[in-house]
Amino acid sequence: MSADEKFDAVIIGAGPAGAACAYVLAKAGKSVLLVERGASAGSKNVTGGRLYTYALELVEPGLYQQAPLERKVVREQIMMLGQNSAVTMDYVDYSFGEGVPQSYSVLRAPFDEWFAGQAEEQGAMVAPGIVVDELIEADGKIVGIKAGDDEICATVVIAADGVNSLIAQKAGLRQDIAGHNVGVGAKEIIELPEKVIEDRFSLQAGEGAARVLIGCSGSVLGGGFLYTNKDSISLGVVLNPEDLARQHSKIHEILQTLKMHPAIYPLIKDGTTAEYGAHLVPEVGYHAMPKRLYRAGLVLVGDAAGLVVNSGTILRGIDLAIVSGVAAAQAILQQADESQIGPAYVQQLEQLSLMATMKLYANFHELMSNRRLISVYPAMANDLMKTLFAVDGGLPERMDKAMFKVLKKHVTIGQLIADGWKGFKAI
């Protein structure tokens, strides 16, 4: 690349945020360079989860129909694990997201590669295997990047380099990542025949289930997830790294214990592990976002901007990343004055309801930090259900007394009221 070559935009990171931004800009005729440190887009990514399809519709209507998505989620499940039991809430809606489906399970490696390829088809230049070492600054403005011996100039640089964004740090927009603001996730992809998955989860062809797992991490703050893919299952945990270290626990051991739980093992039995990995994810959301999402010549998008929503029942990151990429692209396209791109980006985030969504869930992380929520209450729920259904031939205890006895075994009335009030304030 020539030192005097200048792009309208250089985007660092070919994940969903970077690819969405590149797609929209390139389609509008802008010169775009999308750089990725991995050998290909998605090659480093081990995230397994879901994609809410409205986000791809913002990029281009109907684009989700071309994407390599896995299964349309029709079953939303919450499972609270006891030691040898489980209570599962199962919501089924076969018309969920009719017209434009609500969400699909997704495997990021093939999805990211496809999405970057779509941006390339629109005219973006995709450059894998590029490590950005430094930002180029002139007169207080970011004007390009340094990658090895190459200097690449741009009107604006988009930092889409993930939760531990070195670019955001180099630009002075955020400090080193704090352990309490992130989670460490470990995930396993377990291959099974399509029909086996459908039988085990009561699904029809193409249908999928998304399951939140509570009570699967011992006393470590965090939880688990399970997603059905076409011919595999994504099973994993996301835990607080500071709490892991404090309790001298190992995430791979917690995941292995989860796999062997009697309510989980039958779902993955006879499966073959195809992939195993761990990575950091933003956890806190709004309160952990950088104070500023831009400076002159630079914009932060996706995980680099701390854009995540964790309500306890859903974890949203991929869709917010795509929306932020679209917002950045629209700001660039609308502003002839380069100095106004940053403010216009924040305005676009507001117009697309992203910032309002972040603020709505701003205090949910306080609810999720309640240790009783991940250990005491799942055990209590299982004991309550056992009380409801157990029959031994003797005289049953009055139901109200039996239930109250179970409750007192696990929490005091004061703790229950305090937790209820804390939960009310969080939502």
Side-chain angles (χ1 to χ4, degrees):
M1 297 176 187
S2 171
D4 59 0
E5 184 176 5
K6 183 175 180 179
F7 291 88
D8 291 319
V10 169
I11 303 169
I12 306 169
C21 188
Y23 186 107
V24 175
L25 288 175
K27 186 177 181 181
K30 296 294 185 180
S31 59
V32 179
L33 175 64
L34 178 61
V35 299
E36 164 61 38
R37 69 181 300 170
S40 62
S43 63
K44 304 189 297 82
N45 202 297
V46 299
T47 300
R50 68 160 71 188
L51 171 65
Y52 293 91
T53 53
Y54 82 92
L56 280 180
E57 290 294 287
L58 287 177
V59 178
E60 183 168 319
L63 187 61
Y64 82 91
Q65 295 172 324
Q66 306 171 36
L69 304 177
E70 295 295 312
R71 290 177 179 268
K72 176 183 174 181
V73 176
V74 300
R75 304 190 82 104
E76 299 280 2
Q77 302 171 333
I78 301 172
M79 174 179 273
M80 293 178 285
L81 297 171
Q83 185 173 357
N84 290 294
S85 59
V87 176
T88 304
M89 182 184 300
D90 187 8
Y91 171 66
V92 185
D93 186 347
Y94 295 103
S95 63
F96 211 25
E98 223 168 52
V100 177
Q102 169 81 356
S103 68
Y104 279 85
S105 55
V106 64
L107 295 172
R108 281 284 302 279
F111 175 80
D112 285 10
E113 186 174 24
W114 167 83
F115 204 5
Q118 293 296 304
E120 191 170 30
E121 287 185 13
Q122 296 300 321
M125 181 183 296
V126 179
I130 302 295
V131 178
V132 177
D133 301 306
E134 296 289 343
L135 294 168
I136 303 173
E137 184 174 343
D139 300 322
K141 179 180 183 294
I142 303 301
V143 296
I145 62 171
K146 291 181 180 179
D149 295 330
D150 290 326
E151 293 191 359
I152 306 164
C153 296
T155 301
V156 62
V157 174
I158 312 296
D161 55 331
V163 57
N164 194 20
S165 175
L166 297 178
I167 298 303
Q169 292 181 40
K170 289 179 181 294
L173 292 176
R174 70 185 312 165
Q175 302 299 315
D176 286 343
I177 196 165
H180 59 271
N181 287 336
V182 296
V184 56
K187 183 206 70 173
E188 194 164 337
I189 297 291
I190 302 167
E191 292 181 339
L192 284 166
E194 289 186 41
K195 189 63 169 61
V196 171
I197 292 173
E198 288 155 10
D199 288 344
R200 291 180 181 180
F201 290 87
S202 300
L203 302 168
Q204 299 297 316
E207 295 177 348
R211 183 176 297 189
V212 174
L213 304 173
I214 304 172
C216 62
S217 56
S219 58
V220 177
L221 290 172
F225 60 86
L226 185 155
Y227 298 104
T228 57
N229 307 312
K230 287 179 181 177
D231 56 4
S232 66
I233 289 173
S234 296
L235 178 66
V237 292
V238 180
L239 308 176
N240 182 286
E242 290 184 342
D243 211 31
L244 270 172
R246 190 181 303 118
Q247 299 191 40
H248 305 288
S249 299
K250 297 179 180 178
I251 192 168
H252 68 273
E253 292 178 350
I254 292 174
L255 178 54
Q256 184 62 27
T257 299
L258 171 61
K259 288 172 59 181
M260 294 297 105
H261 191 282
I264 297 296
Y265 180 73
L267 302 174
I268 62 174
K269 181 182 177 182
D270 300 324
T272 301
T273 298
E275 180 182 321
Y276 190 101
H279 66 123
L280 291 177
V281 295
E283 273 280 278
V284 172
Y286 181 74
H287 290 300
M289 291 176 63
K291 298 298 183 184
R292 297 185 67 199
L293 299 180
Y294 66 90
R295 55 172 291 189
L298 178 72
V299 169
L300 307 183
V301 296
D303 283 359
L307 299 175
V308 67
V309 164
N310 183 0
S311 71
T313 57
I314 57 172
L315 180 61
R316 293 173 56 187
I318 302 175
D319 63 309
L320 302 184
I322 292 173
V323 172
S324 68
V326 171
Q330 291 177 345
I332 293 167
L333 294 174
Q334 293 173 6
Q335 291 298 321
D337 184 349
E338 297 173 12
S339 66
Q340 294 303 307
I341 289 175
Y345 167 57
V346 174
Q347 187 177 30
Q348 284 292 321
L349 293 178
E350 295 283 2
Q351 291 180 2
L352 293 170
S353 300
L354 194 153
M355 290 305 296
T357 299
M358 294 292 296
K359 293 173 184 177
L360 180 66
Y361 291 99
N363 296 321
F364 268 68
H365 70 282
E366 295 181 8
L367 175 64
M368 305 311 297
S369 66
N370 185 343
R371 201 173 298 278
R372 282 190 288 273
L373 190 67
I374 55 95
S375 56
V376 174
Y377 290 119
M380 185 175 74
N382 278 270
D383 278 357
L384 287 171
M385 296 305 289
K386 185 176 182 178
T387 300
L388 282 174
F389 294 110
V391 175
D392 62 7
L395 177 65
E397 191 171 11
R398 272 184 48 170
M399 190 59 67
D400 57 345
K401 290 185 177 181
M403 292 294 182
F404 191 64
K405 184 183 295 184
V406 171
L407 188 149
K408 288 200 302 181
K409 173 185 172 183
H410 293 277
V411 292
T412 66
I413 297 299
Q415 288 172 334
L416 191 63
I417 293 173
D419 290 342
W421 177 244
K422 183 176 181 180
F424 176 76
K425 289 196 299 180
I427 62 175

